[in-house]
Amino acid sequence: MIDIHCHILPNVDDGAKDMEMALEMAKAAVDEGIDTIIASPHHRNGQFENSKSSILESVDQLNNRLKEARIPLTILPGQETRIFGEMVDSYLDDELLSLNHLHQYLLVELSSSHVPRYIHRLFFDLQQQGVTPIIVHPERNAEIIENPEILYRLVKEGALTQVTAGSVTGHFGKKIQKFSIDLITHNLTHFVATDAHNLTSRPINLRKAYEFIEDECSAFYRYMFLENAEMIVAGRMPLVEPPEMIKRKKFLGIF
């Protein structure tokens, strides 16, 4: 399996606090059946700044330690960037790091409370540069929860999304879990990733999430998400089913 979003790089953000923890997270990932992780430290979120060059260096260092420890896991470079108005300029200035450094996909984080009005123009401009934004954990954004049509429109316009494994398994509560399943069954998300930060409060739990998806949704979604992770690591287009609106009456019945 491939995990496209994980905070495994040591001492760069609120993920692995040191190399020892990073190696323990790597062992846990291998136990889960994961063989590849895209390391995606926070960038420009108000707390952490992780430049492209520093991430590439940290990825090399961790891969070397994994080889020394004989842990069969490959770390690829990525970056979880908080949305900001000048993202296109930063990308063109070679400051942002695309997934696996392939210049095709960017992980974009929204705040937990709202969606900026400029997002449609920004995403259009990114796509004009050949870059597809992947919105991470939209299921935990208050404005999207209140009005899922926002996400529907963004997906219709070409954005992709990634839900967190812990959201699917109920780690963030039943409401978030139910909304995550709605996003899956309405084709409003395209990837599942751990977004793991440690071994306790934000652990690696991808296998459990995939099992839950197969039981609650269908095997189709499980294998689509598995394949989609492989596709973007290889620089190919993932499978995207036509998005469907979450009917507001049905949605409000959750809460």
Side-chain angles (χ1 to χ4, degrees), residues 2-6 40 107 136 139 162-168 191-196 203 205-206 209-210 225:
I2 296 173
D3 183 11
I4 72 164
H5 179 181
C6 183
S40 50
L107 294 184
V136 299
E139 76 280 3
Q162 168 253 303
V163 297
T164 302
S167 297
V168 172
F191 309 95
V192 178
T194 67
D195 192 10
N205 55 356
L206 196 55
Y210 279 134
F225 294 146

Side-chain angles (χ1 to χ4, degrees), residues 176-196:
I176 298 298
Q177 182 182 43
K178 182 64 170 64
F179 188 46
S180 299
I181 296 303
D182 276 348
L183 294 184
I184 291 170
T185 57
H186 288 77
N187 301 321
L188 292 173
T189 195
H190 313 92
F191 309 95
V192 178
T194 67
D195 192 10

